[in-house]
Amino acid sequence: MSSAQKQILAGIETRIQSVLGSSWNRMSYSYELEKNDFRTIKKSYGVGVDSGSTSEGTVNAVTMDQDFFVVLATNAPNRKDDSAEREALDEIYDNLELLYRDFFISKLNVSSIVLVVSAFDLDAPERPADNVISVRANFTVKHRKSTT
């Protein structure tokens, strides 16, 4: 992983902690959610990096469009109906919208290399474990590093 990716991931983590607060904890596994122990954590998040490619840039700099993701998971105990699931999803979607706005405005606290955060999209909700529901948000970060 490049230093730019590390800086961006650290920025994402910082922004998540700032926006969501201490009630949300980092998952141990962001890529394989079913490996997490959701019994001890009520609200959790994960971050990761996906594919990327170079894009048109300027002389003496490498510009990349890099995909990143945030996944939020929370408890949604099964009851006689899906009201707990709807409430959990409402909270997750609200928080993902807050995060995207914050990412866009703050440039992930790495404005020295991040040019723009864009192309925000959401995957369908998943159930990585009993009584847990999660949603993954994908977005693109255009970033630039000097070659000199």
Side-chain angles (χ1 to χ4, degrees), residues 13-86:
E13 291 255 1
T14 300
R15 297 314 309 154
I16 288 172
Q17 293 164 359
S18 175
V19 172
L20 299 183
S22 62
S23 64
W24 289 80
N25 298 294
R26 182 144 183 12
M27 294 177 188
S28 298
Y29 300 94
S30 297
Y31 293 92
E32 298 177 86
L33 299 183
E34 61 279 352
K35 288 186 173 183
N36 289 295
D37 181 7
F38 291 105
R39 293 173 294 171
T40 58
I41 299 176
K42 302 282 187 228
K43 297 178 180 184
S44 57
Y45 69 89
V47 300
V49 60
D50 276 335
S51 62
S53 61
T54 58
S55 62
E56 295 295 322
T58 59
V59 178
N60 297 329
V62 174
T63 304
M64 288 197 69
D65 289 328
Q66 183 81 53
D67 294 331
F68 291 85
F69 69 86
V70 170
V71 60
L72 298 183
T74 189
N75 284 2
N78 292 326
R79 296 186 184 147
K80 58 184 175 183
D81 61 17
D82 63 358
S83 61
E85 185 175 279
R86 284 195 312 266

Side-chain angles (χ1 to χ4, degrees), residues 6 23 64 90 118 121:
K6 288 177 186 173
S23 64
M64 288 197 69
D90 285 346
S118 63
D121 69 84

Side-chain angles (χ1 to χ4, degrees), residues 50 69-70 89 93 96 121-126 134-138:
D50 276 335
F69 69 86
V70 170
L89 284 172
Y93 286 129
L96 287 172
D121 69 84
L122 302 171
D123 290 350
E126 293 183 14
S134 69
V135 176
R136 177 175 155 153
N138 307 290

